[in-house]
Amino acid sequence: MLKRKMFRDIKKHKIQFISIFLMAFLGVFVFAGVGGEALGLEANVNQFYEETNLADGWIYSPYLNDLFLEQVYLLGATTQMERQVVIDSEADFENKPDVRLHFVENNTLSKFYLIEGKPLDINDSSGVWLDKSFADAKGLNVGDNITFEFEGYEINKEIKGLGYSPEYVYHVSSYSVLPDFNKIGFAYLSYKAFPSDTVPYNVLNVKFNGDPDIYDDLLSYRLDGYYVSFIEKSEHSSVSLFSDQISLHKMMADVFPVVFIVVSMLILLTTMTRIITHQRTQIGILKANGFKNRTIIWHYLSYGFWLVLGGSILGLILGPMIIPKLIYSVMMSMFIMPSWEPAWSNNFVYVAALMVLLSLAISFYSAKSISDEKPSESIKPKKPMFSSKGLMERFKFWHKLSFNLRWNYRDAKRNNFRALMTVIGVIGCTSLLVCAFGLYDSVNELTEWEFYQTNHYDTKLIVDNGASQSEIDEVANEVHGDEIIEKFIEIESPSAKKSGSLLVFDGRELFTPTDSNRNNIEIKDDEVSISKKMAEMLDVGVGDEIKWHVMDSNKWIKTKIDKIHADPNSQGIMMSKEKFKDFDLNYTPTIIVTAEHVDKNYSAIKSVSYKQSQIDSWHYFMLAAWVLIYMLILFASILAVVVLYNLGLLSFVEIEREISTLKILGFKTRALRKLLLTQNLWFTSLGFVLGIPLGDYILKVMWQSAGDSYYVVPSTSITTILPTAVITFSLSIIVNLMFSKKIKDLDMVESLKGGE
């Protein structure tokens, strides 16, 4: 009999129970889906690193002889070493693509990962093992020949294998954020394939025990002046950027499902409260006919239990199946790994189990109070709540307030728990919407800041390595462009060492530095400016001293910081051409930027990049983030609909008696609708105001987890708040209007049955 009753109740209150199922499903769906995707990225890349024995660090030095290796070994922490010659070359194609060659000593660290062909043979001097992505872009296959030119040498090798490298999970040129495998690639060769009798090793891959900073200090102590730089694994450009992606996705997986889980439990509580309030008489009759309390309690426990259990199981199944595929399909074109599979964590099951246990606890709480009552009491309708006169009601202005305001104040005070739940529900909806729209605005603002406010060029010309200064000047004059140096550097402060970028400008019309508020600033000819993000990572400010060097040079430069600028995409230092020359450094431009659209070929120019193509590449690079943002906006809107409707129902249930009394006293339906609308808007406004700072906080936490590459100043601007307000308040008003018919059809006799 109780089972039939449960099915009748679920059918009667199907919207509320569907909401419970939906919220439980979405909570676990997002948590397991985004979590499985993020954990999958981490597991796949770690497996790739392990299989290829990725180095813990890279020591760059021109003195990698046996004595140097002995000194490194004597550090005590080094467990494995391998020398390489890493050289930038040009492959023999019309567009002269950049191919980085690795002449390896034994292929034991950061090994080539074979996909097709023969394993790398350290004794094979005639073969090359090529980047598969580059080979696919160029239509190359195993058995084909390829020619490389570098430093006056020209070598022709047979392609013996195609594959990947753990050092190139993310591989782009210095002037792009999106991989273009038609223009860049890498290759591995035996050291015996080097065209000179003496192999000029310049990179030492190392595995070591202990902290990387301590290892770096030991290197500096024993080998200072004999090596150019040391890059630890976490600072490697490919490793760090992919790690930043994982961190951002993990943060989304951890933060957003919490709101769905809390709201699903909130809806369950409100629904069970409503059902039990309406079924007091039935419960009293059941108890009078001999049904035990535990039987009645278990009956009501089963309402939420089966729905939450079903929603959680479905979320566990579909989340890892759907969400990772959506995101991986975008990321696979930007990051190169041999495996793209979602990962599973027992935490997904634990969260689902926690939701089920919470549903049992909430249902037990809802049913326990009435089960303890005597049948003679529970058979009667619930007594209305009363409240004493509060402080506000003692002031003289109280009686000057409208009846609408006074009635809603007293009702909220009597039913403070329901008011609190409504406000919490709206806070959850608002914070999610603020965060989702904030992410949307932040990405758009980052694009606007980087490509329109800071950079004003149309065309970027990448200078050929062999071009002379006179040739560069000739091109710059013809296209009315500015010559700029862009290089990777290593920066060190007393507290930290970081890899960053160097920008040296000769002209200020096409490049405008800004501060954190995106206001234009001037960097004078005798000043050095550091980016805000880099300053924070190095823990330095204006007036402090740092030292830096270009990655391919062992000359360290000491510099005082004169200004701090903010750049969304490039973290490092910048200075004028004059200041650069003051450090006795050779000014050789690497790019030319111009406001003109240049489509002419120049012998001094290696390749051309247009601003619009860079913007398109950036949007494509952020496509995975867009997928998550759109999902959050959709789920947050669903959450808002479900919460406001269910809490509106609860409000109506709890004031049925008062509404019926007011109808008998002559209040029209229109006036009663105004009463409910006022209350709804009160609670919605309070939840909205409190939800904005919470959403802003979550947004800032998420951007802080984005890693070292990007600097974003998240803020809740009008474009974030306005759509959030429109969605939240529109739904609140729509929900209120939905109860108009309920007021007209209200059974006043049933509602007014008291506890007499």
Side-chain angles (χ1 to χ4, degrees):
M1 183 182 81
L2 289 179
K3 286 184 179 180
R4 292 197 299 272
K5 177 181 178 301
M6 182 182 72
F7 289 128
R8 286 198 303 269
D9 289 341
I10 291 176
K11 183 178 180 181
K12 182 178 180 180
H13 305 284
K14 57 182 176 293
I15 294 179
Q16 290 74 47
F17 284 112
I18 289 174
S19 300
I20 295 169
F21 176 86
L22 184 61
M23 288 296 100
F25 165 72
L26 286 178
V28 178
F29 177 80
V30 174
F31 181 70
V34 180
E37 176 263 331
L39 290 175
L41 291 178
E42 188 174 42
N44 291 327
V45 79
N46 285 340
Q47 181 181 0
F48 185 33
Y49 292 160
E50 183 177 350
E51 291 179 359
T52 54
N53 198 23
L54 178 66
D56 291 333
W58 293 261
I59 302 172
Y60 296 86
S61 172
Y63 309 111
L64 296 180
N65 51 31
D66 293 339
L67 179 60
F68 187 97
L69 268 60
E70 182 180 351
Q71 292 298 314
V72 173
Y73 180 76
L74 290 175
L75 294 176
T78 309
T79 60
Q80 196 174 355
M81 297 182 289
E82 180 189 352
R83 293 181 295 186
Q84 292 188 7
V85 184
V86 181
I87 297 176
D88 291 328
S89 75
E90 290 182 351
D92 186 19
F93 290 93
E94 185 177 351
N95 67 335
K96 297 182 179 179
D98 292 324
V99 178
R100 187 165 296 168
L101 305 180
H102 291 248
F103 293 89
V104 298
E105 192 173 28
N106 46 44
N107 194 38
T108 57
L109 284 176
S110 299
K111 296 185 291 186
F112 184 81
Y113 186 93
L114 186 68
I115 298 295
E116 180 182 345
K118 299 178 180 179
L120 194 154
D121 184 355
I122 206 66
N123 295 311
D124 188 343
S125 61
S126 64
V128 61
W129 284 258
L130 193 61
D131 172 12
K132 187 177 188 306
S133 300
F134 176 79
D136 291 343
K138 292 297 185 182
L140 298 171
N141 298 296
V142 174
D144 293 344
N145 281 11
I146 185 170
T147 300
F148 305 102
E149 294 181 3
F150 60 92
E151 299 181 358
Y153 294 108
E154 181 177 295
I155 60 173
N156 183 276
K157 302 295 179 183
E158 180 186 349
I159 300 174
K160 298 293 183 70
L162 303 176
Y164 305 140
S165 167
E167 296 186 16
Y168 297 97
V169 173
Y170 178 67
H171 185 206
V172 296
S173 61
S174 59
Y175 49 85
S176 176
V177 296
L178 196 68
D180 185 351
F181 298 114
N182 188 52
K183 296 180 180 179
I184 59 170
F186 64 86
Y188 278 60
L189 305 93
S190 165
Y191 73 97
K192 294 182 179 180
F194 196 80
S196 172
D197 294 335
T198 302
V199 182
Y201 293 113
N202 56 7
V203 180
L204 180 65
N205 294 0
V206 293
K207 298 282 281 189
F208 56 84
N209 296 320
D211 185 84
D213 292 334
I214 296 176
Y215 189 81
D216 192 11
D217 291 339
L218 290 172
L219 277 174
S220 298
Y221 175 74
R222 186 176 291 274
L223 292 163
D224 188 28
Y226 290 94
Y227 73 101
V228 176
S229 63
F230 168 73
I231 303 297
E232 62 174 276
K233 183 165 64 176
S234 63
E235 288 292 314
H236 190 279
S237 58
S238 172
V239 175
S240 63
L241 193 138
F242 196 74
S243 178
D244 292 345
Q245 288 282 322
I246 294 172
S247 298
L248 182 61
H249 291 203
K250 277 186 174 181
M251 179 58 66
M252 289 187 175
D254 292 340
V255 171
F256 287 95
V258 173
V259 179
F260 289 99
I261 292 168
V262 170
V263 170
S264 66
M265 296 300 104
L266 186 67
I267 293 172
L268 177 60
L269 177 59
T270 60
T271 302
M272 293 307 301
T273 301
R274 179 173 184 248
I275 290 173
I276 290 173
T277 299
H278 272 268
Q279 295 185 359
R280 287 180 59 84
T281 302
Q282 296 180 37
I283 294 171
I285 293 173
L286 289 173
K287 295 175 72 172
N289 280 280
F291 281 83
K292 296 185 180 298
N293 285 341
R294 63 173 177 270
T295 304
I296 295 173
I297 290 176
W298 173 248
H299 167 68
Y300 286 104
L301 286 179
S302 61
Y303 280 60
F305 173 78
W306 294 112
L307 290 168
V308 174
L309 180 64
S312 299
I313 292 174
L314 190 62
L316 285 173
I317 296 171
L318 295 182
M321 288 176 58
I322 295 175
I323 293 181
K325 288 183 178 179
L326 292 174
I327 300 174
Y328 287 170
S329 62
V330 175
M331 297 187 69
M332 287 172 68
S333 61
M334 296 179 290
F335 302 98
I336 304 301
M337 291 192 300
S339 177
W340 291 85
E341 296 294 334
W344 179 263
S345 171
N346 289 334
N347 290 335
F348 305 157
V349 178
Y350 297 153
V351 169
L354 178 62
M355 290 186 65
V356 174
L357 292 175
L358 284 174
S359 72
L360 291 173
I362 288 171
S363 299
F364 179 81
Y365 171 80
S366 302
K368 186 67 170 65
S369 58
I370 194 171
S371 68
D372 291 338
E373 295 180 4
K374 296 178 181 179
S376 59
E377 290 294 327
S378 58
I379 205 170
K380 300 175 184 178
K382 187 177 182 180
K383 293 181 180 180
M385 298 181 67
F386 298 95
S387 63
S388 58
K389 182 180 280 190
L391 178 64
M392 188 173 175
E393 297 167 80
R394 300 179 189 276
F395 290 105
K396 292 183 179 180
F397 70 83
W398 172 257
H399 297 286
K400 296 181 181 180
L401 298 176
S402 66
F403 172 79
N404 190 326
L405 294 176
R406 286 182 290 164
W407 183 87
N408 274 300
Y409 172 79
R410 285 171 171 164
D411 180 68
K413 195 169 67 169
R414 283 195 304 271
N415 301 288
N416 49 27
F417 183 65
R418 182 245 301 168
L420 178 63
M421 287 192 297
T422 306
V423 171
I424 291 174
V426 176
I427 288 174
C429 300
T430 302
S431 61
L432 272 187
L433 287 169
V434 165
C435 193
F437 285 115
L439 284 170
Y440 182 90
D441 288 342
S442 295
V443 174
N444 283 332
E445 288 175 6
L446 194 151
T447 305
E448 174 71 23
W449 188 3
E450 173 71 17
F451 293 105
Y452 294 101
Q453 188 168 353
T454 301
N455 296 293
H456 312 292
Y457 62 84
D458 179 85
T459 307
K460 179 185 285 189
L461 307 170
I462 291 79
V463 176
D464 189 88
N465 293 333
S468 65
Q469 185 62 52
S470 60
E471 290 175 319
I472 298 172
D473 292 339
E474 183 180 348
V475 174
N477 290 332
E478 184 173 335
V479 300
H480 304 98
D482 292 341
E483 300 174 4
I484 291 177
I485 291 178
E486 283 186 343
K487 286 184 176 291
F488 293 111
I489 61 173
E490 189 175 31
I491 314 174
E492 185 176 354
S493 72
S495 58
K497 181 188 287 186
K498 293 289 181 180
S499 299
S501 63
L502 168 69
L503 188 144
V504 183
F505 52 85
D506 182 22
R508 296 173 174 82
E509 294 183 0
L510 300 177
F511 174 74
T512 308
T514 60
D515 59 18
S516 297
N517 297 318
R518 295 171 61 179
N519 298 316
N520 295 345
I521 62 173
E522 181 185 3
I523 300 175
K524 298 178 181 178
D525 289 344
D526 61 344
E527 292 181 330
V528 173
S529 180
I530 189 171
S531 67
K532 178 74 172 176
K533 182 91 172 185
M534 183 60 71
E536 292 174 353
M537 291 188 291
L538 295 176
D539 192 23
V540 294
V542 173
D544 292 336
E545 190 174 75
I546 58 173
K547 63 178 185 176
W548 57 274
H549 74 98
V550 178
M551 283 299 189
D552 55 3
S553 169
N554 61 354
K555 182 178 181 180
W556 285 85
I557 308 296
K558 287 187 177 180
T559 303
K560 183 173 74 72
I561 299 172
D562 302 297
K563 270 195 173 68
I564 294 180
H565 67 276
D567 192 294
N569 196 35
S570 180
Q571 311 311 323
I573 61 175
M574 64 172 60
M575 65 190 73
S576 69
K577 171 184 176 181
E578 290 75 14
K579 185 67 175 179
F580 186 77
K581 286 184 174 180
D582 287 344
F583 294 125
D584 196 25
L585 295 172
N586 182 31
Y587 180 78
T588 305
T590 59
I591 61 172
I592 299 172
V593 293
T594 174
E596 299 178 4
H597 189 81
V598 179
D599 53 10
K600 182 179 177 180
N601 293 326
Y602 297 94
S603 60
I605 300 303
K606 184 175 185 177
S607 60
V608 178
S609 175
Y610 300 107
K611 176 187 280 190
Q612 189 55 52
S613 65
Q614 292 181 38
I615 295 172
D616 294 341
S617 296
W618 170 252
H619 284 157
Y620 192 85
F621 179 77
M622 295 301 293
L623 196 53
W626 284 119
V627 171
L628 288 171
I629 290 169
Y630 291 141
M631 287 172 54
L632 293 176
I633 293 175
L634 173 63
F635 292 155
S637 300
I638 293 173
L639 182 69
V641 172
V642 172
V643 167
L644 291 171
Y645 182 79
N646 281 277
L647 293 175
L649 272 179
L650 176 65
S651 299
F652 184 81
V653 168
E654 290 197 343
I655 61 175
E656 276 184 315
R657 192 172 189 276
E658 289 87 342
I659 294 294
S660 298
T661 302
L662 293 174
K663 286 189 74 172
I664 289 176
L665 291 174
F667 280 77
K668 303 297 183 184
T669 300
R670 184 176 180 181
L672 297 176
R673 286 171 53 190
K674 186 178 180 181
L675 282 178
L676 294 180
L677 178 61
T678 301
Q679 188 175 97
N680 260 10
L681 291 178
W682 278 11
F683 295 153
T684 303
S685 298
L686 181 58
F688 178 77
V689 170
L690 295 176
I692 289 175
L694 178 60
D696 184 63
Y697 173 75
I698 296 173
L699 181 63
K700 289 177 180 177
V701 169
M702 293 188 65
W703 275 117
Q704 286 172 0
S705 70
D708 299 341
S709 303
Y710 307 112
Y711 177 74
V712 181
V713 186
S715 61
T716 48
S717 63
I718 187 65
T719 55
T720 299
I721 296 175
L722 185 60
T724 302
V726 169
I727 292 175
T728 306
F729 284 95
S730 297
L731 290 173
S732 180
I733 294 171
I734 291 171
V735 165
N736 180 264
L737 296 175
M738 292 173 64
F739 294 114
S740 299
K741 188 174 184 300
K742 290 182 178 291
I743 295 175
K744 290 180 181 179
D745 300 339
L746 190 63
D747 187 340
M748 289 182 288
V749 175
E750 181 67 25
S751 299
L752 286 170
K753 285 181 180 179
E756 71 278 2

